[in-house]
């Protein structure tokens, strides 16, 4: 290109959680990379809640770490409080969630990116993606500067033509008053990319000094043996959160002013998430509910701002002042930032391959909320995969595509690229059919070897993983020791277990309902030097061995058909398929039988027809 400023291997557009992981992955894999951002102060900015993790999201953050990403490391650096959700339930649905210091999180990630070899950062607005013969050749900024590259990762978050809405007030702006991107959408449309309009929202931030905390329930962090990153042995809780509730008086104010709510007046046109409705939507949809939960979450140790989780709203400012002060404990509360809804442009992710590359433009990758997802963790997961696959494309290596049985990341990307996402997509444990083997405690066991093979996992990180494998082996070996009934009597009586007639291995002892591995460690004075998180992992593997075995058997059974490739063909040629199945298969062009299974509108009987057809054609 003439007048080109500089040539790069890859350019990442956007510096949120997807863009941060994508640029780091590319640079760490040896690619000369440029990260462009509308504002350097928005790098890894926590635009909504000041937290990392949550149900299923904790697994995503753990998987990013296992692959060699940065989110888990950064969350541990900036942690204010850590909790394991769903502790009263089984390990399949337990997930880490951390309150993090949003100032520290941004600062630490920005520092990491600035110090990364092979990585440049430029504050600018990318206005156009340049192509030749449907291949990426560079980008053009709003100031007319040209930068050449062979791969682009678009990770613009919610900034494309973003508009905030507070009652009748609207403004073209991104989160927190940051400038929106107003030019790139047209470039994407010119390239044939389908654009959609989605919406999300955020609650008000209030002055912590104006809160009567005595009317809220203290929510301290858990003393856990876990951290988000395997590179950290343990993290400490620093600040508490608080649980509170709305009031009927607050609900009345919302009902009386519901005609002024943009969601009901028609002011909002974007599609929002069902699973995270605004407080006005909750009040109208669940009219019989007397109160709704809310959580007070500190934004940072360096500010008095408090995030009011559960009270997302786009009501007018005067209504917000009334309704917030009707929350018990908020009688004198002072709003520092009003709640708002935000609309933004995103794409139809079904137009992407499973490596997150556009089906239409060679070398053009997409990651994060632009793909119609919601959440920092979903964004980071896509970002690291887009960075990995953009790098591998530049090296003419096969794409890395995680299966639904390998990672929540695999479920996420498979869903995005094979289902019509009609609202912001959020990862939930219910979306993963193999969630017992995709646990929070085994992210590193599942993915670190792959991350090392790709080249992202450092030797230091890999040694930690190998040490854990050795510790697991040592623990399992020690648990083969057989104990006679007399030596078990004290423990079994204390734990209200019936004494066996014959000797048991310590492994079999742990299988008893009321006994766990820590009881065995204390009773027989063994394995004292083993890390508690590793002991907990082995305990889960023993306690749920039968269920895990059954799930693995189902995975192996499904692999017999799921990995069978599907040719690029016109599915109308297969007469036995239902009309809807033909239409959906032609639209999504799944690469395998497994991907076809997860397309809405493709039934088990359609899969059977496909298998018969492939067999007739000698493909299987």
């Amino acid at each position: 290109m003439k007048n080109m400023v500089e040539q790069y291997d890859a350019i990442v557009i956007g510096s949120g959680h997807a863009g941060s992981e994508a640029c780091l992955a590319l640079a760490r894999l040896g690619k000369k990379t440029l990260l462009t951002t509308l504002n350097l102060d928005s790098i890894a900015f926590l635009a909504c809640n000041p937290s990392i993790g949550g149900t299923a999201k904790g697994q995503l953050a753990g998987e990013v770490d296992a692959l060699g990403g940065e989110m888990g490391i950064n969350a541990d650096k900036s942690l204010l409080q850590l909790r394991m959700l769903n502790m009263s339930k089984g390990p399949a649905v337990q997930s880490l969630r951390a309150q993090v210091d949003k100032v520290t999180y941004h600062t630490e990630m920005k520092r990491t990116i600035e110090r990364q070899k092979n990585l440049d950062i430029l504050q600018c607005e990318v206005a156009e993606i340049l192509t030749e013969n449907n291949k990426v050749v560079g980008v053009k900024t709003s100031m007319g500067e040209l930068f050449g590259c062979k791969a682009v990762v678009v990770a613009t978050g919610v900034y494309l033509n973003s508009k905030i809405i507070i009652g009748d007030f609207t403004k073209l702006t991104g989160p927190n008053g940051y400038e929106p991107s107003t030019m790139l959408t047209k470039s994407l449309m010119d390239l044939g990319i389908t654009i959609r309009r989605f919406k999300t929202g955020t609650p008000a931030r209030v002055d912590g000094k104006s809160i009567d905390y005595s009317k809220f329930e203290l929510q301290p962090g858990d003393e856990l043996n876990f951290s988000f990153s395997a590179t950290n042995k343990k993290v400490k809780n620093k600040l508490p959160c608080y649980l509170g509730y709305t009031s009927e008086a607050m609900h009345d104010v919302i009902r009386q002013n519901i005609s002024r709510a943009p969601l009901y007046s028609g002011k909002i046109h974007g599609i929002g998430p069902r699973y995270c409705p605004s407080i006005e939507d909750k009040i109208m949809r669940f009219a019989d509910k007397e109160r709704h939960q809310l959580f007070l979450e500190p934004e940072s140790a360096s500010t008095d701002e408090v995030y009011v989780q559960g009270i997302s709203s786009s009501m007018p400012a005067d209504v917000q002042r009334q309704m917030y002060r009707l929350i018990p404990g908020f009688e004198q509360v002072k709003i520092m930032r009003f709640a708002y809804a935000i609309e933004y442009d995103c794409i139809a992710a079904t137009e992407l391959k499973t490596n997150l590359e556009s089906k239409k433009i060679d070398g053009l990758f997409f990651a994060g909320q632009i793909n119609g997802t919601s959440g920092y963790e979903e964004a980071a997961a896509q970002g690291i995969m887009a960075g990995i696959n953009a790098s591998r494309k530049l090296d003419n290596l096969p794409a890395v595509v995680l299966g639904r049985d390998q990672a929540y990341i695999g479920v996420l990307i498979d869903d995005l690229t094979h289902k019509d996402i009609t609202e912001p997509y959020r990862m939930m444990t219910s979306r993963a059919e193999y969630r017992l083997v995709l646990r929070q405690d085994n992210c590193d066991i599942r993915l670190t070897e792959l991350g090392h093979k790709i080249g992202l996992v450092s030797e230091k990180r890999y040694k930690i993983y190998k040490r854990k494998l050795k510790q697991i082996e040592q623990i399992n070996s020690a648990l083969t020791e057989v104990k006679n009934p007399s030596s078990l009597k004290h423990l079994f009586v204390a734990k209200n277990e019936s004494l066996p007639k014959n000797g048991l291995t310590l492994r079999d002892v742990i299988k008893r309902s009321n006994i766990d591995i820590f009881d065995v460690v204390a009773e027989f004075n063994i394995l004292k030097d083993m890390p508690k998180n590793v002991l907990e992992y082995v305990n889960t593997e023993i306690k749920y061995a039968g269920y895990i075995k059954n799930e693995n058997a189902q995975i192996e059974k499904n692999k017999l058909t799921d990995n069978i490739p599907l040719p690029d063909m016109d599915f109308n040629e297969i007469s036995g398929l239902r009309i809807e199945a033909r239409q959906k298969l032609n639209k999504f062009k799944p690469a395998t039988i497994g991907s076809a299974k997860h397309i809405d509108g493709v039934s088990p009987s359609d899969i059977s027809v496909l298998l018969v057809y492939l067999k007739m054609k000698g493909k299987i």
Side-chain angles (χ1 to χ4, degrees), residues 422-439:
T422 57
E423 62 181 89
Y425 178 103
R426 177 182 180 177
M427 179 50 68
M428 295 178 279
T429 54
S430 59
R431 298 189 191 274
E433 59 268 43
Y434 305 123
R435 52 188 172 271
L436 185 55
V437 299
L438 305 181
R439 304 190 308 275

Side-chain angles (χ1 to χ4, degrees), residues 7 19 31 33-34 51 56 68 81-82 113 120 146 208 220 264 301 310 318 342 415 458 462 465 535 560 606:
Q7 178 71 36
K31 303 299 173 288
T33 305
L34 174 66
S51 69
Q81 184 195 94
L82 187 66
I113 290 172
D120 293 339
L146 305 179
Y264 288 84
D318 63 302
I342 184 168
D415 281 354
S458 67
Y462 192 58
Y465 161 71
L535 289 168
L560 295 175
D606 295 317

Side-chain angles (χ1 to χ4, degrees), residues 249-296:
M250 176 189 180
H251 298 185
D252 285 340
V253 167
I254 291 173
R255 293 188 194 102
Q256 292 163 11
N257 291 277
I258 198 65
S259 62
R260 299 178 65 194
L263 189 65
Y264 288 84
S265 67
K267 195 82 173 177
I268 290 176
H269 302 289
I271 302 170
R274 284 174 297 162
Y275 50 79
C276 190
S278 64
I279 186 61
E280 52 265 33
D281 203 18
K282 289 181 187 177
I283 301 307
M284 300 309 293
R285 285 165 55 187
F286 308 107
D288 58 337
K289 196 163 185 178
E290 294 181 359
R291 63 180 189 173
H292 293 272
Q293 275 191 348
L294 62 95
F295 291 91
L296 304 183

Side-chain angles (χ1 to χ4, degrees), residues 31-49:
K31 303 299 173 288
K32 183 182 178 183
T33 305
L34 174 66
L35 173 66
T36 69
T37 177
L38 292 170
N39 193 320
L40 290 170
D41 295 331
S42 67
I43 291 175
F45 177 64
L46 299 169
C48 197
N49 53 319

Side-chain angles (χ1 to χ4, degrees), residues 347-418:
I347 72 163
T350 50
E351 295 182 2
L352 304 179
K353 304 173 188 175
T354 50
N355 67 345
L356 296 179
E357 183 183 18
S358 169
K359 294 176 181 177
K360 297 175 180 177
I361 306 297
D362 195 60
L364 180 59
F365 294 79
F366 292 82
Q369 285 184 271
I370 191 170
N371 287 343
T373 60
S374 172
Y376 313 138
E377 304 79 9
E378 289 88 341
Q382 294 170 71
I384 194 169
M385 296 309 297
I388 288 170
N389 283 319
S391 173
R392 291 177 73 84
K393 184 176 184 66
L394 292 171
D395 290 336
N396 295 314
L397 293 172
V400 173
V401 178
L402 297 174
R404 298 178 71 93
D405 60 331
Q406 286 180 281
Y408 271 86
I409 295 175
V411 177
L412 166 67
I413 295 176
D414 188 61
D415 281 354
L416 288 177
T417 55
H418 291 102

